[in-house]
Amino acid sequence: MSTATKEQPYRRALRSTHRVLIKAGTSVVANNDGRPSLTRLGAIVEQVAELHRSGMEVIMVTSGATGMGRRLMRKHGRMNMTMAEMTSSNDLTDLTEGVQDVTLRSESNFLDDGGLTMGDPALSEKDSQKTFQSACAAGGQFEMMSLYNSLFSQMDISAAQILLTEGDFRDESHLTSLMYSIERLLSVGIIPIINENDAVTANRGTADDSHLFTDNDSLAALCARSFSCDMCILLTDVDGVFDRPPSEKGSKLLPFYAQNQSVGIGEKSLHGRGGMAAKISAAQMAVKPGSQCRACVVLSGADLDSIRSVVSKEYEIDDNAGPKGTLFATPGSELEKQALEDVEAVTGDSVSEAASLMATASRDQARKLQSLSYAERQAILFAVAEGLESQKATILASNAIDLKNAQKDGTSKELVGRLKLTDAKLKTLSTGIRQIANEPDPLGVVKAKRELADGLELSQITVPIGVLMIIFESRPDSMPQIASLALASGNGLLLKGGKEAAFSNEAIHKVIGDAIEKGSGGKITRDIIALVTSRGQVADMLKLDDVVDLVIPRGSNALVSYIKANTRIPVLGHADGVCHVYVDKSCTDADLVSKLVVDAKTDYPSACNAMETLLLHEDTLQSTHIAMSVLMSLRVAGVKCLGGPKAMKAGLCDIAAKEMKCEYGDLTCMVEIVENMEEAIDWIHKYGSGHTEAIVCAEDSEAGEDFLNRVDAACVFKNASTRFADGFRFGLGAEVGISTGRIHARGPVGVEGLLTVKWQLRSEGINVASEYEGDDRKKVYTHKDLM
């Protein structure tokens, strides 16, 4: 029966493949004891034969020779032992328990004679192991090919063995001959079966950028690219690539692996040199632009229909089952575009459902967290701070991958600046988390207490908000800040990071999750802080108003504005960070003014609290010459100054600003002249974003206090850089963001901003409301404040 027409187009396209390379891993062709799995091998050969008969050209890359040869070497090693060697062990079974436990007399003699060591009497244990593995590979090749020959002959198909080394790909003449041989074999209907010549390469298996391939996964990718294959299939011992180790509860198979996808990697199989990380790397290499190979699928070799389910035109689709395996497609190709469309069309609801389950689990763990003593909650925070420091190398290595991808993708300098992590940033983060941990317990704080009547006492105490959803772009350093504040305040957390920081976010999330479970002694699980890694749209998550209590966006103006306009969940955050510095006429020290202004702009240009507009009192252009000194200092610091209408007229700038309100996010600012402070304040209220505004003035000038009192913004400073608008600098330890709203929290939001209140009413004896009502009421209200 032909395939169902309702199969997703991106998967249906794979069935038009002309030439496919199929790689069978050791975990597929062999059982745990090293013996060949006749069931799986038979199924693979049967499916390959079907494809062959349908007109498809098939190349195979197979593993398993070393495992088969190991059994052979072990057998003959025992047969060649002397009686003394056999009786020297108290437990004969020890001699058969693995390669390292078998000492071959013939091997020892060969080494002693200098035949392999070239006269060196001492061969390292590592080198000795490699030579033994090489011998195993040589012995196993014959057995493996005999088995394939026997199976294929049952299908009236011939196969040919090709053993390769890296040199065959590096030598142009070798590669040309090799390509010709492959083409000739395929043209007459013979299936090439390729393997690395481990007898020569000594089973290298080490990851090194200088090598073209290090295992049979990368060899398969190289062959698929070199031998004009349309598609590569990597058979393994799991169903494909999962969003986390398949053994973990809730793990999900990814039908399509997108660029910059981040997944959790579990344990590798018992046999072979690869693992899921190696297969992901090989799959990405196979579909890299520059060759005919457009697709690679990682799927289970234990599934006896796996190959035909992906490429056979005659396979009957199960309408109730999703696509098998995980597809990798060439970046930028039509197949990738189609896959993204098809996957996103069907995963919207599942992403929302998965996020909903995560949020529910997070709430459950948050309620358990609230029941812990404050000392126990502090221990969790200290563990997180320690984890960031002890796992610094891992985090920075993951961040380096994100930075490399950002550079390759042409990401803006502004986003790259926010994306980059450093030793100093991680140190600041861990210091801030310890600062939070050392603060008094924020939960259960009595905010008000009142006697309602005799024996009836009402209290208002602080409690967590519930589950927070943080959607952030680019900045991976947001995650530890937000997580620590959520843990300190007893909130659950649902995180959705941008794809540009996928590897950094995954690494940091793991560090925090490990620290939570370690610091709590297992009382709290990592589910309290969930990281959504699916490609689902933010719009789907914004519908979770039944399980999420507050959304805090951290990112661009466009992101924040979109979230505010598309959810019923309360939003805490700011859309713009258009901050002003006003230089008053009372200023006299040009150096100090310049120092402050330059810091406000250049300390971290992409931060939301960086200065975007400089307002100069008109007198600073004349008698004090402060204006020219400040502008010169900015230009020396590399800042591009755009002029407002008055600044252009006065000749302060060469290029006019196109907008009066703009968050540049780089080394650009606007400069404008004002007649007085009144005009400066009016300008700020008209073009500012209510984030942070600063005045620079003489210490004894009344303008400073006047400015502080009259400017309507979340943060207003006198003689201090706008860069001080930060949770860490405010002594909050960290911040989940800066709010420019007027309800609940405003400015840098620390622990207190993540709390709400609840009322507790305590009664001595039984109190009922009816006793306080009517002309004949028995009790009266006193409404006496107790604090």
Side-chain angles (χ1 to χ4, degrees):
M1 184 180 294
S2 62
T3 57
T5 56
K6 63 180 181 180
E7 182 181 24
Q8 290 176 290
Y10 84 101
R11 284 300 184 125
R12 193 162 60 245
L14 303 181
R15 302 186 188 279
S16 62
T17 298
H18 172 65
R19 180 178 294 181
V20 61
L21 183 142
I22 299 172
K23 184 264 177 179
T26 305
S27 60
V28 175
V29 302
N31 294 314
N32 288 340
D33 62 359
R35 297 177 185 273
S37 171
L38 297 180
T39 300
R40 293 193 291 272
L41 277 173
I44 291 171
V45 169
E46 183 179 316
Q47 294 174 88
V48 168
E50 288 179 10
L51 298 180
H52 178 77
R53 285 193 289 267
S54 71
M56 191 178 298
E57 296 179 345
V58 182
I59 301 172
M60 291 188 65
V61 171
T62 184
S63 302
T66 301
M68 293 181 185
R70 189 179 292 118
R71 289 178 50 253
L72 184 69
M73 293 290 286
R74 189 183 302 147
K75 173 184 175 181
H76 285 272
R78 289 196 298 268
M79 291 173 61
N80 282 279
M81 285 181 181
T82 66
M83 185 61 68
E85 289 171 335
M86 293 183 68
T87 58
S88 64
S89 173
N90 293 328
D91 187 355
L92 186 60
T93 59
D94 289 345
L95 296 174
T96 63
E97 294 295 330
V99 178
Q100 290 80 5
D101 298 323
V102 179
T103 302
L104 301 179
R105 180 169 59 86
S106 57
E107 178 187 358
S108 301
N109 292 341
F110 185 53
L111 294 177
D112 290 342
D113 293 340
L116 184 62
T117 61
M118 301 300 290
D120 186 352
L123 186 69
S124 72
E125 182 179 349
K126 181 178 180 182
D127 289 339
S128 178
Q129 176 66 14
K130 282 187 175 182
T131 59
F132 182 75
Q133 296 281 25
S134 297
C136 290
Q141 283 290 346
F142 182 81
E143 183 178 352
M144 184 180 69
M145 283 308 301
S146 295
L147 183 56
Y148 272 116
N149 181 62
S150 175
L151 292 171
F152 273 116
S153 65
Q154 299 298 315
M155 302 290 173
D156 293 325
I157 294 175
S158 297
Q161 182 182 28
I162 300 177
L163 294 177
L164 301 177
T165 66
E166 188 172 301
D168 296 320
F169 290 93
R170 292 193 181 278
D171 188 297
E172 187 174 347
S173 63
H174 284 203
L175 182 57
T176 300
S177 298
L178 182 58
M179 294 169 65
Y180 175 79
S181 297
I182 294 288
E183 293 295 335
R184 290 293 293 166
L185 289 171
L186 291 173
S187 69
V188 296
I190 298 176
I191 295 177
I193 299 180
I194 299 171
N195 199 355
E196 180 181 4
N197 192 348
D198 288 329
V200 174
T201 59
N203 202 279
R204 182 177 58 245
T206 54
D208 188 331
D209 290 341
S210 66
H211 295 302
L212 292 178
F213 61 90
T214 58
D215 53 37
N216 276 347
D217 290 316
S218 52
L219 172 61
L222 183 59
C223 289
R225 295 178 64 83
S226 301
F227 305 145
S228 303
C229 295
D230 305 310
M231 181 179 174
C232 178
I233 293 177
L234 303 179
L235 297 177
T236 182
D237 55 352
V238 292
D239 291 334
V241 182
F242 288 74
D243 59 352
R244 68 188 79 175
S247 58
E248 287 190 14
K249 183 180 179 181
S251 62
K252 290 191 175 183
L253 176 69
L254 301 175
F256 176 68
Y257 194 99
Q259 294 185 65
N260 302 328
Q261 186 100 33
S262 176
V263 298
I265 303 296
E267 297 292 330
K268 67 185 288 292
S269 64
L270 296 175
H271 301 285
R273 288 174 279 161
M276 188 50 67
K279 286 171 178 58
I280 292 174
S281 177
Q284 291 174 323
M285 172 187 170
V287 301
K288 189 170 62 174
S291 81
Q292 189 171 317
C293 188
R294 58 174 181 156
C296 182
V297 179
V298 178
L299 74 164
S300 173
D303 181 345
L304 305 186
D305 278 331
S306 59
I307 298 173
R308 60 170 65 96
S309 72
V310 173
V311 291
S312 174
K313 295 179 180 179
E314 302 301 318
Y315 182 73
E316 183 177 353
I317 300 296
D318 183 350
D319 294 341
N320 297 318
K324 294 184 179 182
T326 301
L327 170 69
F328 294 71
T330 301
S333 66
E334 290 301 317
L335 179 62
E336 184 197 44
K337 294 175 184 176
Q338 186 66 57
L340 289 173
E341 291 179 10
D342 292 347
V343 171
E344 290 180 1
V346 299
T347 57
D349 291 340
S350 62
V351 169
S352 181
E353 179 184 355
S356 179
L357 292 174
M358 288 181 181
T360 301
S362 179
R363 189 186 298 278
D364 291 342
Q365 291 300 313
R367 286 169 176 162
K368 293 179 182 179
L369 180 66
Q370 296 170 43
S371 66
L372 299 184
S373 68
Y374 189 47
E376 290 175 303
R377 284 188 276 128
Q378 285 176 306
I380 295 174
L381 289 170
F382 286 129
V384 172
E386 181 183 349
L388 289 176
E389 293 176 345
S390 64
Q391 298 299 314
K392 176 178 64 176
T394 301
I395 294 171
L396 292 179
S398 298
N399 184 243
I401 297 174
D402 287 327
L403 290 171
K404 183 178 180 180
N405 289 335
Q407 184 179 17
K408 181 175 63 178
D409 296 339
T411 305
S412 68
K413 291 182 179 180
E414 175 188 356
L415 283 180
V416 171
R418 293 177 177 176
L419 176 62
K420 186 174 182 179
L421 293 175
T422 62
D423 287 351
K425 278 189 178 181
L426 292 177
K427 180 64 176 177
T428 299
L429 288 170
S430 59
T431 300
I433 293 171
R434 291 190 176 95
Q435 186 176 340
I436 293 171
N438 287 319
E439 292 293 318
D441 189 353
L443 298 181
V445 176
V446 180
K447 307 293 287 185
K449 185 180 288 187
R450 179 176 299 154
E451 179 190 271
L452 301 186
D454 186 28
L456 198 59
E457 184 178 289
L458 179 69
S459 300
Q460 185 189 59
I461 66 167
T462 56
V463 294
I465 289 175
V467 175
L468 316 174
M469 180 164 67
I470 317 296
I471 301 174
F472 56 100
E473 292 177 329
S474 189
R475 290 183 57 175
D477 59 333
S478 297
M479 188 186 295
Q481 296 183 58
I482 295 165
S484 59
L485 290 170
L487 291 169
S489 57
N491 287 287
L493 202 56
L494 189 62
L495 297 164
K496 173 68 172 174
K499 67 178 182 179
E500 65 280 349
F503 288 93
S504 305
N505 291 338
E506 186 77 23
I508 294 172
H509 182 254
K510 185 180 186 305
V511 169
I512 294 173
D514 291 345
I516 289 170
E517 295 182 347
K518 178 182 177 181
S520 68
K523 294 180 181 179
I524 307 298
T525 72
R526 64 184 65 238
D527 290 340
I528 192 170
I529 297 179
L531 177 64
V532 179
T533 57
S534 305
R535 284 187 52 84
Q537 299 296 320
V538 170
D540 298 319
M541 298 179 63
L542 296 178
K543 299 173 184 176
L544 301 176
D545 54 293
D546 58 330
V547 290
V548 175
D549 301 293
L550 181 68
V551 179
I552 304 176
R554 295 285 301 268
S556 66
N557 181 14
L559 173 70
V560 179
S561 298
Y562 174 82
I563 290 173
K564 285 184 174 182
N566 289 276
T567 186
R568 291 182 294 183
I569 307 170
V571 178
L572 186 152
H574 69 278
D576 295 295
V578 183
C579 304
H580 296 75
V581 173
Y582 164 61
V583 181
D584 187 59
K585 65 178 182 179
S586 61
C587 293
T588 57
D589 193 323
D591 291 339
L592 291 179
V593 174
S594 298
K595 182 178 180 181
L596 186 152
V597 171
V598 169
D599 178 86
K601 181 67 244 183
T602 66
D603 181 60
Y604 192 174
S606 61
C608 61
N609 58 11
M611 179 193 77
E612 303 293 1
T613 299
L614 173 65
L615 298 177
L616 299 168
H617 192 288
E618 61 182 9
D619 288 359
T620 61
L621 277 70
Q622 301 168 5
S623 58
T624 60
H625 302 291
I626 283 179
M628 297 308 297
S629 177
V630 171
L631 291 176
M632 182 61 70
S633 297
L634 283 171
R635 286 168 178 145
V636 168
V639 179
K640 180 180 180 181
C641 298
L642 305 179
K646 292 184 179 180
M648 290 300 295
K649 187 176 180 180
L652 292 182
C653 303
D654 298 324
I655 303 174
K658 296 180 180 179
E659 307 173 70
M660 299 301 101
K661 179 180 181 179
C662 182
E663 184 176 8
Y664 298 102
D666 56 19
L667 288 174
T668 305
C669 74
M670 192 186 81
V671 179
E672 183 57 317
I673 301 168
V674 292
E675 292 183 7
N676 48 46
M677 192 174 73
E678 292 287 341
E679 186 178 348
I681 293 175
D682 288 343
W683 177 285
I684 288 170
H685 288 161
K686 183 176 183 179
Y687 298 116
S689 60
H691 191 296
T692 301
E693 315 296 350
I695 182 175
V696 191
C697 61
E699 290 293 332
D700 57 355
S701 172
E702 295 180 356
E705 291 301 316
D706 198 16
F707 186 89
L708 290 174
N709 293 328
R710 293 175 56 193
V711 171
D712 184 9
C715 302
V716 187
F717 300 159
K718 170 188 172 183
N719 290 338
S721 169
T722 56
R723 289 284 292 127
F724 280 101
D726 174 81
F728 178 76
R729 295 184 176 98
F730 275 19
L732 304 179
E735 66 181 36
V736 295
I738 295 180
S739 173
T740 55
R742 300 174 184 275
I743 299 175
H744 180 67
R746 197 179 190 195
V749 180
V751 171
E752 287 191 7
L754 302 182
L755 300 173
T756 185
V757 296
K758 74 175 180 182
W759 295 96
Q760 296 177 335
L761 185 61
R762 295 175 174 85
S763 174
E764 294 180 7
I766 300 299
N767 266 290
V768 294
S770 59
E771 293 180 322
Y772 294 84
E773 299 171 354
D775 295 335
D776 58 344
R777 56 182 177 271
K778 299 176 181 179
K779 297 181 180 180
V780 295
Y781 291 111
T782 58
H783 289 164
K784 183 191 302 181
D785 287 337
L786 301 179
M787 65 171 290

